[in-house]
Amino acid sequence: MSSDCGKTRCSNEDNQDRNAGHRQRVRQRFLLNGFSGMLDYEVMECLLTLVIPRKDVKPLAKSLLEEFGSVYSVLSMPVKKLENFQGLGHTSAVGLKMLYGICDYCLEERIRKRNLLDSAQALKDFVRMKLSVRRRETFMILLLDANYYLLDQRIIAEGTSNCVVNSIRKVLEESLALEKALFVILVHNHPSGYCRPSAEDIKSTADISQSLSMVNMFLLDHLIVGADDCFSFRENGIDLDTGKVKRKI
């Protein structure tokens, strides 16, 4: 029995040595080129090594991607869903959410220090991070000061098919509640993945813009977030006050 225990102990130690060596190679590869050239499961594996110590996480990385489809989708899942996935637990699930959270934080930090009129791509990256993987339609507003710097972001409505129409009063309430807010950017997602505006989107945007102007506030843009893209009313020539299209979209 003593001999069997010794063999088991040696086998476990060998596995740990191999895992440690593999993790070291993964870290070195990242230091050389970042995630460039890595397959999705290799990126997922890198992240898992940060939250699960001394274990081969490659099979788990592949299983997570098979279940959820992408690294981004894995990280955006609720903690409860992650911690119930075989191979993860509460601590590792929270760790993955912290990795997602720091990405979110850095993107918001990036746009808070910029004039958003001059930072279209950074703004799109931020709102896509916020809304692109949501399974229900979500409507949010970004509140800006007189210099076009972000003051706050607020969820206005969630889970309805026509939340823009029903939320004019809430937009006004939230916008007026922030003393220094002067400009508003509307943002909502299309869970279908198609980010072009509907006729109702265009009409509702004009209604909100006109309502804001009555309280001396101004609508700067309306962004629609799809699966892989973000549509800007402003960039595509839609007049925010009238809903008229200045050029074909």
Side-chain angles (χ1 to χ4, degrees):
M1 181 176 289
S2 177
S3 176
D4 290 340
C5 290
K7 289 179 180 179
T8 300
R9 185 164 55 250
C10 288
S11 177
N12 289 338
E13 290 173 353
D14 288 343
N15 287 335
Q16 289 178 6
D17 288 342
R18 282 195 295 272
N19 290 336
H22 177 65
R23 286 172 179 241
Q24 180 63 26
R25 289 189 294 275
V26 168
R27 285 192 291 268
Q28 288 299 322
R29 185 177 174 189
F30 173 78
L31 288 174
L32 286 173
N33 298 303
F35 290 129
S36 177
M38 287 191 185
L39 299 173
D40 288 349
Y41 83 84
E42 292 174 318
V43 175
M44 191 74 249
E45 183 184 5
C46 283
L47 301 181
L48 288 171
T49 63
L50 300 176
V51 299
I52 300 177
R54 298 183 301 278
K55 181 181 177 182
D56 180 10
V57 292
K58 183 186 294 185
L60 177 57
K62 291 181 176 180
S63 296
L64 284 166
L65 292 175
E66 184 177 350
E67 176 69 20
F68 299 116
S70 70
V71 174
Y72 180 45
S73 295
V74 172
L75 296 182
S76 63
M77 285 294 130
V79 169
K80 188 63 83 173
K81 194 165 186 105
L82 289 175
E83 69 183 6
N84 289 330
F85 193 87
Q86 186 174 359
L88 292 176
H90 180 72
T91 300
S92 53
V94 171
L96 289 175
K97 292 303 295 183
M98 291 176 71
L99 293 174
Y100 179 85
I102 194 62
C103 295
D104 191 4
Y105 178 86
C106 288
L107 284 172
E108 181 173 348
E109 185 180 50
R110 184 183 176 199
I111 68 168
R112 279 189 183 276
K113 297 179 179 180
R114 294 187 178 193
N115 176 323
L116 290 189
L117 280 186
D118 298 328
S119 309
Q121 190 56 53
L123 176 58
K124 288 180 179 180
D125 290 342
F126 174 69
V127 298
R128 286 192 64 241
M129 182 81 178
K130 285 289 185 182
L131 298 184
S132 67
V133 297
R134 292 205 176 210
R135 299 178 186 273
R136 295 186 296 176
E137 186 170 342
T138 303
F139 180 46
M140 67 183 291
I141 59 172
L142 307 180
L143 300 172
L144 284 62
D145 65 14
N147 295 312
Y148 307 111
Y149 282 78
L150 181 67
L151 294 171
D152 202 1
Q153 50 173 306
R154 298 185 181 178
I155 298 292
I156 298 299
E158 186 175 11
T160 61
S161 60
N162 60 344
C163 61
V164 177
V165 179
N166 294 330
S167 302
I168 295 177
R169 179 180 296 179
K170 188 72 181 294
V171 169
L172 292 177
E173 289 175 354
E174 294 291 346
S175 300
L176 291 169
L178 197 57
E179 184 178 353
K180 293 183 179 180
L182 182 61
F183 299 106
V184 177
I185 295 176
L186 307 178
V187 188
H188 83 282
N189 65 316
H190 282 176
S192 66
Y194 184 73
C195 65
R196 292 298 187 266
S198 65
E200 192 58 55
D201 288 332
I202 294 173
K203 180 183 182 302
S204 300
T205 300
D207 291 342
I208 291 174
S209 181
Q210 292 165 18
S211 297
L212 285 169
S213 66
M214 293 175 66
V215 294
N216 296 317
M217 298 188 74
F218 306 95
L219 184 63
L220 284 183
D221 203 352
H222 186 166
L223 302 175
I224 301 179
V225 178
D228 301 304
D229 200 3
C230 184
F231 181 95
S232 162
F233 277 46
R234 184 187 184 95
E235 290 178 0
N236 285 276
I238 300 178
D239 190 300
L240 297 169
D241 293 322
T242 66
K244 292 182 179 180
V245 181
K246 299 176 183 177
R247 60 179 182 269
K248 187 176 181 180
I249 59 176

